[in-house]
Amino acid sequence: DAKTTQPPSMDCAEGRAANLPCNHSTISGNEYVYWYRQIHSQGPQYIIHGLKNNETNEMASLIITEDRKSSTLILPHATLRDTAVYYCIVRGGGSNYKLTFGKGTLLTVNP
Amino acid sequence: DARVTQTPRHKVTEMGQEVTMRCQPILGHNTVFWYRQTMMQGLELLAYFRNRAPLDDSGMPKDRFSAEMPDATLATLKIQPSEPRDSAVYFCASGSRDRGSLNYGYTFGSGTRLTVV
């Protein structure tokens, strides 16, 4: 699976949009981009995933660049409860089910 | 919401003792994962199963760890004998591709915090 690069930490003001970047320059054509987050002392939580089109759900939006070498997770109106470590993961399709977690980005939402 | 249930939530044991951690995947999910999380190593995949068959356990120390799925509602992770370096949070996750999509997000349990003294 392709390796991802994320900033170790970011800050965001409550109520503002949080934009979390991820680089995955070695991604191949059949690999998906997944985002999970982990709130302190809890298990990771699935947020969203995409292949090449932008995706949106009730939690967030995922913007994938046209060349697919990078993506951005957007939390439109961050709250204090969004403070967590956010993981960007690239996972192959087909029968490869594994998720390999990196170090992620610690997002701190400030009042 | 459906949940992955892990027991026990906390376990303190002495070095050399056997430890068994249990996981009840979400009903209908046919893929089950075991992860371990430490401050130093982060989240590491130990093993995973599909339709109760082990697909990959390359991340697991074979000499002391074993993972099984005796039935579709129960996955177990055993450590025998346990060592202080096994102290970590162990997470179970489950998922299924049978949702109209080949790729689907997995649901994690709350974890078992293991301390070996």
Side-chain angles (χ1 to χ4, degrees):
Chain A
D1 293 339
K3 184 178 178 179
T4 62
T5 303
Q6 299 178 252
S9 63
M10 294 182 63
D11 286 316
C12 177
E14 187 177 20
R16 304 296 294 270
N19 296 277
L20 292 93
C22 179
N23 286 321
H24 31 78
S25 58
T26 60
I27 193 169
S28 59
N30 67 343
E31 289 181 317
Y32 287 72
V33 179
Y34 279 75
W35 283 84
Y36 280 74
R37 74 180 183 183
Q38 188 174 23
I39 296 170
H40 182 61
S41 297
Q42 298 182 20
Q45 176 190 23
Y46 166 80
I47 301 173
I48 198 167
H49 74 278
L51 182 62
K52 55 183 177 182
N53 297 321
N54 298 337
E55 301 288 344
T56 295
N57 63 21
E58 65 277 6
M59 289 183 68
S61 295
L62 173 60
I63 309 298
I64 302 174
T65 58
E66 192 169 344
D67 63 8
R68 302 207 326 121
K69 293 184 177 182
S70 66
S71 60
T72 301
L73 179 74
I74 301 173
L75 308 179
H77 306 286
T79 70
L80 299 180
R81 290 184 294 179
D82 292 322
T83 293
V85 177
Y86 287 77
Y87 298 97
C88 170
I89 302 164
V90 171
R91 205 206 89 183
S95 60
N96 180 1
Y97 306 103
K98 295 193 291 187
L99 290 174
T100 301
F101 288 82
K103 297 188 182 301
T105 296
L106 173 60
L107 174 69
T108 303
V109 181
N110 301 305
Chain B
D1 288 343
R3 295 185 179 188
V4 174
T5 303
Q6 290 188 246
T7 55
R9 289 295 310 275
H10 302 273
K11 176 73 175 178
V12 179
T13 190
E14 292 185 348
M15 182 174 60
Q17 296 297 306
E18 177 179 300
V19 175
T20 299
M21 290 169 272
R22 294 177 173 80
C23 168
Q24 181 177 352
I26 292 173
L27 188 64
H29 282 188
N30 58 5
T31 308
V32 175
F33 299 80
W34 283 105
Y35 283 86
R36 174 173 64 182
Q37 186 171 34
T38 61
M39 287 294 292
M40 293 295 294
Q41 300 298 326
L43 276 159
E44 303 173 281
L45 178 64
L46 296 176
Y48 72 102
F49 295 77
R50 178 160 174 80
N51 295 326
R52 297 176 54 200
L55 287 191
D56 187 344
D57 60 1
S58 59
M60 206 163 61
K62 302 292 192 303
D63 55 340
R64 299 182 301 106
F65 285 60
S66 62
E68 296 179 343
M69 279 200 74
D71 61 61
T73 64
L74 177 65
T76 62
L77 180 66
K78 292 185 181 181
I79 308 174
Q80 169 63 16
S82 58
E83 298 181 0
R85 59 179 168 155
D86 301 328
S87 297
V89 181
Y90 291 80
F91 289 105
C92 174
S94 73
S96 174
R97 60 183 282 183
D98 301 322
R99 301 254 179 150
S101 169
L102 187 63
N103 292 279
Y104 189 70
Y106 301 124
T107 302
F108 282 75
S110 299
T112 294
R113 182 174 295 275
L114 175 65
T115 304
V116 183
V117 298

